[in-house]
Amino acid sequence: MNCFSGSPPSGLLNSELLQYLRGNDDHAEHHITLLQQAETCLKNPSVDAADRMDVAGRIERWRYQTLNEWRDEPVPGQEQLIDSLDRWTCWLRQIDRETPRSLRHHLTSASSDDDTWQAAIDGRMAMPELCEAAQQKTHRLFSVSVSDQPNATKRRMLLYAPLYVSSHCVNHCVYCGFKYDMDIQRTHLDIDDVMVQADILLDNGFQHQLLVAGDFPRLTTTSYFCDLIQCMRDRGLEISIEIASQSSDSYQAMADAGATGLTLYQETYDPEVYRLVHPRGPKQSYDWRLEAPERAAETGFSRIGIGVLLGLADPVSDVQMMIRHAKYLKHQFPHLRLALSLPRLHQTPDGYQVKHPIDDEQLIRFYAACRLAIPDVELVLSTREPAALRDRLAKICITQMSAGSSTTPGGYQSDGCKQDDADPDGQFPVTDQRSVHQVRDWLCKENFDVRWRFA
Ligand code: SF4
């Protein structure tokens, strides 16, 4: 089946596609009607843009369902249908793309891999040599001049804070403290409560804040996030989101509301492990999540962070795939500010044991390898890791750190950002318990230029 012959406005709904749908799709007539509506939109420039986007959204949902079916039980011709529907949505959204999105193929191709960073990841490069190379690249690309001292430079370091707004979640991610069947006290903050938290963080210096939430469709709606983003933007904050994968329409609404950054970790790029560790809930859909950063970039997000959760699967393979994913995004969106993160599993809920424990030296190796693979990428480190290791990694290659973090909605106190050692209702334990001021003071002492926002 060749669904890609021709380009709009001619050759859209070709006989091969119609024949395929009539022979394989239980909802063929409904879907053919939808494609006919799409064809009308494309052939008639006077069709209202909102109507055109509505049709695009419905075709994207159809593609989402087909992606899930294809992953569960592939049917001949289905993959071409997935690509065909991608073309239709791109045409309707007026996204300039010559070929269908090809991330799932790109990730399994080693053709873009460079042996230097491969050797760094798989252990062939010695640690001292690797760390020195990573440190030099970081200094070269992330240093700023000191205004009153000619020839003096400082390393830039952005401090950010996660702002948890909801711990309700319908997903069953086996490694997470918020998973649906965990017996914890759940909290969903209303807009006033979120602004109290945002103001506390702002008082502590954080002008860049990361909105974090579980996935609970009745509560964590697009309009909920848009309202939060607008209020935070009105306070002059830079806002990133770390929430469930969204449709293009939702990302567009959040970008329009003022969000500029997306953090979304694939967790693992091994589809089989992914399936095992996400046994129930909407996050089960590997491909929908995989393509989410690209959808966000298409709607105008200018900063995208991806990552893997080390401990779930073979780390060498996961880091390698994450780098390929990052290079793919960089190729598709050359002006995107990309970030990579390697959160590591420490404690997990009862019933799940970390399958691939990672020691400190391996973690340093993987971060340093990321620096060699994509020299100008932002590297992000959270408070999951202990203070001494964070300090060491900061000097080698990290460019963004959280500090004084709480992983509980409403967890920031008005007298400062320091949290209790073990919060039973948090998403994960915070290991670096220093206050934001202690982290800032250490960075200043070590000659870092501490930043609180990107722009
Ligand atoms: S990782 Fe995210 S989606 Fe999964 S259970 Fe935790 S909060 Fe929910």
Side-chain angles (χ1 to χ4, degrees):
M1 180 177 59
N2 174 16
C3 302
F4 310 117
S5 58
S7 58
S10 64
L12 291 175
L13 197 46
N14 61 42
S15 56
E16 249 180 309
L17 176 55
L18 290 173
Q19 195 180 349
Y20 175 80
L21 292 174
R22 291 199 172 109
N24 295 278
D25 185 347
D26 292 342
H27 307 284
E29 290 313 314
H30 169 74
H31 286 145
I32 289 170
T33 302
L34 182 57
L35 292 179
Q36 285 166 341
Q37 289 172 355
E39 193 172 41
T40 302
C41 292
L42 291 168
K43 286 185 171 174
N44 186 353
S46 65
V47 169
D48 191 66
D51 292 339
R52 183 165 45 77
M53 297 305 269
D54 176 64
V55 175
R58 285 190 280 148
I59 293 180
E60 187 178 83
R61 278 195 291 282
W62 172 16
R63 182 174 179 275
Y64 164 70
Q65 287 156 358
T66 312
L67 264 175
N68 291 342
E69 290 164 13
W70 171 72
R71 177 67 66 181
D72 289 345
E73 201 174 329
V75 171
Q78 216 169 18
E79 198 173 1
Q80 288 95 324
L81 175 63
I82 289 165
D83 289 343
S84 179
L85 297 180
D86 184 35
R87 293 299 295 269
W88 283 85
T89 51
C90 287
W91 286 331
L92 288 162
R93 293 186 195 284
Q94 300 180 340
I95 294 170
D96 187 15
R97 180 189 279 281
E98 284 299 311
T99 55
R101 64 194 72 225
S102 56
L103 183 51
R104 61 188 181 283
H105 300 300
H106 190 85
L107 289 182
T108 50
S109 158
S111 59
S112 62
D113 291 353
D114 178 296
D115 192 57
T116 307
W117 62 263
Q118 284 283 4
I121 293 174
D122 65 25
R124 281 176 288 144
M125 186 185 275
M127 274 295 271
E129 182 193 347
L130 169 59
C131 290
E132 191 181 332
Q135 193 169 31
Q136 279 177 4
K137 283 194 191 302
T138 311
H139 271 278
R140 187 160 54 77
L141 291 163
F142 293 90
S143 289
V144 291
S145 306
V146 181
S147 54
D148 53 351
Q149 297 172 37
N151 303 324
T153 58
K154 289 185 173 194
R155 266 277 316 284
R156 168 170 75 67
M157 180 69 77
L158 180 97
L159 288 181
Y160 74 95
L163 200 177
Y164 278 71
V165 298
S166 184
S167 53
H168 289 266
C169 194
V170 296
N171 285 299
H172 290 248
C173 313
V174 296
Y175 47 81
C176 179
F178 286 171
K179 67 177 178 147
Y180 182 76
D181 54 3
M182 284 292 282
D183 184 17
I184 59 167
Q185 186 175 337
R186 310 261 172 186
T187 306
H188 180 80
L189 301 185
D190 66 20
I191 198 158
D192 292 336
D193 291 335
V194 174
M195 290 313 122
V196 168
Q197 294 286 291
D199 286 341
I200 292 171
L201 291 172
L202 189 55
D203 286 346
N204 279 275
F206 294 108
Q207 297 172 45
H208 178 92
Q209 298 181 13
L210 175 66
L211 274 180
V212 187
D215 182 8
F216 201 85
R218 187 168 57 78
L219 294 172
T220 54
T221 60
T222 302
S223 63
Y224 171 69
F225 289 118
C226 286
D227 289 347
L228 298 183
I229 291 163
Q230 268 164 1
C231 286
M232 291 171 75
R233 188 189 58 179
D234 290 346
R235 282 165 159 75
L237 294 169
E238 275 180 359
I239 306 134
S240 294
I241 54 170
E242 185 173 353
I243 60 176
S245 324
Q246 302 288 308
S247 67
S248 298
D249 289 342
S250 290
Y251 281 135
Q252 187 68 66
M254 292 179 207
D256 291 346
T260 51
L262 172 86
T263 296
L264 195 133
Y265 303 152
Q266 187 62 24
E267 320 294 13
T268 174
Y269 288 88
D270 181 326
E272 283 312 309
V273 175
Y274 187 94
R275 188 195 296 261
L276 289 173
V277 299
H278 303 108
R280 290 172 67 191
K283 194 171 169 180
Q284 271 186 317
S285 182
Y286 176 94
D287 292 277
W288 183 246
R289 190 170 184 85
L290 189 65
E291 293 176 353
E294 196 172 357
R295 286 197 297 279
E298 283 167 352
T299 62
F301 279 75
S302 58
R303 289 177 287 100
I304 302 276
I306 61 173
V308 287
L309 186 53
L310 292 175
L312 293 178
D314 172 19
V316 170
S317 170
D318 264 349
V319 173
Q320 187 179 52
M321 299 283 254
M322 178 190 69
I323 289 171
R324 287 183 195 165
H325 188 176
K327 284 177 176 281
Y328 170 87
L329 290 170
K330 208 169 161 54
H331 176 74
Q332 297 290 339
F333 308 97
H335 302 298
L336 204 59
R337 193 165 195 161
L338 268 177
L340 299 179
S341 185
L342 295 169
R344 177 169 59 153
L345 277 172
H346 291 279
Q347 285 178 32
T348 51
D350 289 346
Y352 179 72
Q353 285 239 309
V354 178
K355 298 286 189 297
H356 297 264
I358 308 295
D359 64 27
D360 289 358
E361 293 305 299
Q362 282 176 296
L363 185 68
I364 293 169
R365 171 174 289 285
F366 293 144
Y367 266 116
C370 290
R371 173 63 66 227
L372 297 201
I374 310 179
D376 63 350
V377 77
E378 300 278 349
L379 292 178
V380 186
L381 187 62
S382 81
T383 51
R384 279 178 192 256
E385 299 300 339
L389 179 60
R390 290 201 341 135
D391 292 353
R392 192 173 158 202
L393 269 165
K395 289 181 179 175
I396 298 171
C397 57
I398 296 300
T399 56
Q400 296 179 24
M401 301 173 88
S402 54
S405 301
S406 167
T407 65
T408 308
Y412 295 114
Q413 314 295 320
S414 54
D415 57 353
C417 291
K418 188 93 170 66
Q419 299 302 302
D420 294 338
D421 280 5
D423 183 346
D425 299 323
Q427 189 188 26
F428 57 83
V430 170
T431 309
D432 183 349
Q433 285 284 326
R434 290 175 295 180
S435 72
V436 60
H437 302 298
Q438 288 171 313
V439 174
R440 178 204 57 195
D441 291 348
W442 179 84
L443 288 167
C444 290
K445 182 169 74 65
E446 295 295 329
N447 202 36
F448 282 87
D449 178 44
V450 176
R451 303 280 176 97
W452 300 93
R453 60 185 301 135
F454 280 105

